[in-house]
Amino acid sequence: MAGPGGDMQWCFSQVKGAIDDDVAEADIISTVEFNHTGELLATGDKGGRVVIFQQEIENKSQPQFRSEYNVYSTFQSHEPEFDYLKSLEIEEKINKIRWLPQKNAAQFLLSTNDKTIKLWKISERDKRPEGYNLKEEDGRYKDPNTITSLRVPVLIPMDLMVEASPRRVFANAHTYHINSISVNSDEETYLSADDLRINLWNLEITDRSFNIVDIKPANMEELTEVITAAEFHPHQCNTFVYSSSKGTIRLCDMRASALCDKHSKLFEEPEDPSNRSFFSEIISSISDVKFSHNGRYMMTRDYLSVKIWDLNMENRPVETHQVHEYLRSKLCSLYENDCIFDKFECCWNGNDSVVMTGSYNNFFRMFDRGQRRDVTLEASRENSKPMQVLKPRKVCAGGKRKKDEISVDSLDFNKKILHTAWHPQDNIIAVATTNNLYIFQDKVN
Amino acid sequence: MSDEVEETRTSDDQQEMEDKVISPEKAEEAKLKARYPNLGAKPGGSDLLRKRLQKGPKYFDSGDYNMAKAKMKNKQLPSAPSEKAEITGGHIPTPQDLPQRKTSIVASKLAG
């Protein structure tokens, strides 16, 4: 995708976060999400904190147009809790953030940890009242006998203050760990999914939730698969999908019945039984599922690949893109160090022509569906000069290593890019390494 | 007798070589089984899933601890199985192996 004539050339724009190598666990980024206009970019971390960046648009008519994201608001969304009954700690790590479409001056987002979802209102205050009749400027009450005239208080400008306040807390509805939340296109309801159940909520009501999927077996010994991700269709408010640890995706229609245990469609790629190994099921587990913006396709991410499915075809994906096939001969060590269980996310660009996902060694991959080309790029401090063009990277699977290539054995498996996000309209991407957030921009924007 | 053993080994090697040519996955599987002979046959089965569902550090529970101690008096503790063969939830934490509780909350470095 780097190349002449209208192709995308990705340039470094900004990096957020500390430079030092000693990463505090709380600083590990756990989710990244643009809002519906792309003006706001939210991150959540393992310490339960949310940081929101806002795009400051410099002169858009200038050829070297650069948009910078600066801190807009930051707050503590979730705190660590303790389940006394089970002697288990409930992590404050933010698993997912989802923005609500904007309806008035304020912005709303849902953030969730393993057990509790919260609706946050982020509002701006840039005026304050002055000239009360009964109060001094510092708040003290005046002696009423000293007041001889009446005046109307006025609103005077003040420095912008951004306030975040929790408006709803949706708690106690999940026995297992929440992995997904998804706002419905009806803008009234949303779903939350844990390992075995999916619940439907109304954004206004916190003391009740409808269970719409329950895959818990009567006998837990018979458990064979868990729910790994779920999402509402972008336009059809009755449709949602959920993926499983066995590599299947089920599409459900809420009009069919109250409990959607019976799927409307089952998406599964048939597997060659002779190729089956100990690792087959583990690497087929889907870590993320995302509908395309146009609602005609969905993308799934499993350990080694990204698959694009046409919603009208259940028996196989229409596209399969290899993310890091060279890891297939390293599965034994990846199982031993638990990397095989890493949950990578994936995302679409605004017009559904390119998809992106992360890999190891701080590499991330983009697949251009139309041009049938892919590229590997790296998020690193070495490539972080302003507007520096990112050079494509190449991994050498075996045999003779060329000059700029990196061998599989030299990859750093502790540097994983699990979370990436693409601006809904422009070619601006946010890529999260362990504790840093990189923002890259297409040179020809 | 030694001839027989040698023969079996050669055919195993051959099979392994064939497998490696056919599938790097199967070669990796052989490696894993060699390191962990107690590994169950069902990798994605309920053991793995139950371990996943139980994520989160378990803290010291005096009830569990005393029950485990009482059980230990009656029969000998089995040798600690390899982590990959058994759900970790079977281990009763002792006061010694508890993780430290979290420190106070500080502002995110992304906002700095």
Side-chain angles (χ1 to χ4, degrees):
Chain A
M1 277 167 20
D7 289 348
M8 281 191 267
Q9 276 204 299
W10 291 99
C11 305
F12 171 83
S13 178
Q14 296 168 276
V15 61
K16 309 279 184 191
I19 304 176
D20 54 75
D21 282 331
D22 198 16
V23 182
E25 222 175 282
D27 292 325
I28 296 172
I29 298 172
S30 50
T31 185
V32 181
E33 188 82 356
F34 280 101
N35 76 335
H36 294 271
T37 61
E39 186 206 350
L40 299 176
L41 176 59
T43 61
D45 64 24
K46 211 162 179 211
R49 301 162 301 192
V50 171
V51 181
I52 301 174
F53 302 93
Q54 184 189 43
Q55 192 178 29
E56 314 272 355
I57 301 176
E58 284 167 37
N59 203 335
K60 201 155 185 174
S61 61
Q62 294 249 337
Q64 277 300 96
F65 159 60
R66 257 192 83 184
S67 45
E68 278 225 332
Y69 281 85
N70 298 318
V71 180
Y72 179 66
S73 170
T74 175
F75 55 93
Q76 186 76 36
S77 172
H78 288 71
E79 310 238 342
E81 284 175 64
F82 198 77
D83 182 339
Y84 297 98
L85 214 54
K86 298 180 191 166
S87 286
L88 286 176
E89 186 177 75
I90 300 169
E91 271 193 294
E92 67 274 35
K93 172 167 76 88
I94 308 296
N95 292 334
K96 287 277 151 59
I97 288 174
R98 289 289 182 262
W99 290 92
L100 266 57
Q102 192 174 13
K103 282 190 196 169
N104 52 38
Q107 299 278 357
F108 288 86
L109 61 78
L110 286 170
S111 72
T112 187
N113 70 348
D114 283 340
K115 297 287 182 179
T116 304
I117 308 125
K118 294 188 185 180
L119 177 69
W120 286 89
K121 176 181 179 181
I122 296 109
S123 47
E124 291 184 3
R125 194 198 290 263
D126 61 356
K127 292 185 258 293
R128 62 179 179 87
E130 200 181 64
Y132 285 112
N133 289 290
L134 302 174
K135 269 199 277 193
E136 304 280 5
E137 288 308 316
D138 60 9
R140 282 181 302 144
Y141 280 94
K142 286 181 180 170
D143 177 1
N145 300 316
T146 62
I147 299 168
T148 53
S149 61
L150 210 56
R151 60 182 174 172
V152 178
V154 290
L155 290 173
I156 58 160
M158 62 179 249
D159 285 339
L160 179 67
M161 203 165 78
V162 182
E163 302 170 315
S165 59
R167 304 302 287 178
R168 305 270 187 276
V169 177
F170 304 92
N172 302 319
H174 286 279
T175 308
Y176 303 98
H177 300 296
I178 298 173
N179 52 55
S180 312
I181 47 175
S182 177
V183 184
N184 200 341
S185 52
D186 68 8
E187 297 180 25
E188 280 184 12
T189 58
Y190 75 94
L191 63 75
S192 57
D194 67 29
D195 292 314
L196 296 177
R197 299 190 178 105
I198 302 179
N199 293 330
L200 181 70
W201 302 84
N202 182 304
L203 285 162
E204 300 291 324
I205 299 168
T206 58
D207 63 354
R208 255 167 306 163
S209 164
F210 286 109
N211 176 244
I212 51 177
V213 173
D214 188 338
I215 65 167
K216 183 173 183 213
N219 180 1
M220 282 297 268
E221 302 272 325
E222 293 164 22
L223 182 67
T224 55
E225 67 182 324
V226 294
I227 297 169
T228 52
E231 192 176 64
F232 265 120
H233 189 279
H235 314 133
Q236 294 164 22
C237 58
N238 54 290
T239 304
F240 67 93
V241 292
Y242 68 93
S243 58
S244 85
S245 52
K246 274 186 155 174
T248 63
I249 310 101
R250 286 173 177 79
L251 184 142
C252 301
D253 186 334
M254 295 195 291
R255 298 169 301 187
S257 71
L259 190 61
C260 299
D261 277 357
K262 212 161 161 269
H263 55 261
S264 297
K265 294 194 184 182
L266 174 65
F267 296 83
E268 187 173 14
E269 184 167 25
E271 193 197 5
D272 183 356
S274 64
N275 279 342
R276 197 161 174 81
S277 77
F278 175 86
F279 304 109
S280 299
E281 195 176 297
I282 302 173
I283 61 172
S284 72
S285 176
I286 292 171
S287 50
D288 195 16
V289 63
K290 292 262 170 51
F291 278 103
S292 61
H293 291 96
N294 61 20
R296 290 171 49 204
Y297 300 95
M298 66 177 174
M299 165 169 54
T300 57
R301 174 70 154 98
D302 51 71
Y303 191 60
L304 297 178
S305 69
V306 155
K307 291 181 181 166
I308 295 179
W309 305 76
D310 184 322
L311 293 184
N312 296 315
M313 190 161 75
E314 297 166 62
N315 60 348
R316 59 177 174 81
V318 289
E319 291 165 37
T320 299
H321 302 284
Q322 302 301 339
V323 181
H324 37 218
E325 178 68 14
Y326 47 77
L327 294 184
R328 202 179 284 270
S329 53
K330 300 285 168 198
L331 292 176
C332 180
S333 23
L334 292 168
Y335 180 84
E336 288 181 291
N337 60 18
D338 274 352
C339 281
I340 205 174
F341 300 107
D342 283 337
K343 298 193 179 77
F344 291 95
E345 290 171 12
C346 53
C347 60
W348 298 83
N349 73 339
N351 60 19
D352 300 330
S353 59
V354 185
V355 296
M356 169 168 67
T357 189
S359 177
Y360 294 105
N361 210 69
N362 282 348
F363 287 172
F364 57 100
R365 303 265 285 136
M366 284 187 192
F367 301 95
D368 189 324
R369 303 174 61 214
Q371 307 215 346
R372 294 181 192 234
R373 277 199 288 194
D374 58 82
V375 71
T376 304
L377 300 171
E378 182 181 0
S380 76
R381 292 272 174 177
E382 282 84 56
N383 305 326
S384 47
K385 287 194 260 308
M387 296 309 277
Q388 178 179 359
V389 177
L390 295 183
K391 208 176 69 158
R393 311 285 289 152
K394 197 143 171 22
V395 177
C396 168
K400 211 158 186 272
R401 186 177 74 89
K402 295 200 193 93
K403 192 176 69 130
D404 279 335
E405 290 180 356
I406 179 166
S407 81
V408 183
D409 296 309
S410 314
L411 295 174
D412 188 340
F413 290 96
N414 290 317
K415 293 190 178 169
K416 22 194 136 188
I417 290 180
L418 302 173
H419 313 285
T420 59
W422 204 308
H423 189 288
Q425 279 131 30
D426 296 332
N427 280 336
I428 301 171
I429 56 175
V431 173
T433 59
T434 306
N435 64 327
N436 284 169
L437 184 71
Y438 285 80
I439 298 171
F440 301 107
Q441 227 180 288
D442 182 15
K443 196 162 191 160
V444 183
N445 208 350
Chain B
M1 176 104 126
S2 56
D3 280 349
E4 261 178 34
V5 176
E6 250 179 58
E7 249 177 45
T8 334
R9 228 185 291 134
T10 330
S11 66
D12 272 346
D13 281 349
Q14 222 174 18
Q15 185 59 39
E16 203 180 290
M17 260 168 59
E18 272 174 26
D19 277 348
K20 204 163 190 163
V21 167
I22 297 169
S23 153
E25 242 179 83
K26 292 228 168 91
E28 291 294 301
E29 179 174 3
K31 237 193 265 175
L32 193 72
K33 292 231 156 104
R35 287 186 208 175
Y36 304 99
N38 294 326
L39 207 47
K42 260 195 322 155
S46 48
D47 276 357
L48 202 69
L49 290 176
R50 271 187 291 160
K51 179 174 174 179
R52 189 174 167 156
L53 292 178
Q54 252 179 312
K55 155 189 114 161
K58 235 188 173 284
Y59 280 86
F60 179 67
D61 184 319
S62 62
D64 282 349
Y65 181 61
N66 286 306
M67 290 284 286
K69 260 172 70 172
K71 243 196 265 180
M72 265 155 66
K73 284 204 184 112
N74 298 334
K75 61 175 182 191
Q76 228 178 357
L77 245 190
S79 60
S82 141
E83 250 193 59
K84 298 296 173 194
E86 194 180 295
I87 317 168
T88 330
H91 170 71
I92 305 294
T94 58
Q96 289 80 17
D97 49 26
L98 290 182
Q100 292 298 320
R101 287 288 258 156
K102 303 227 164 117
T103 50
S104 58
I105 293 155
V106 162
S108 165
K109 293 200 182 116
L110 287 183

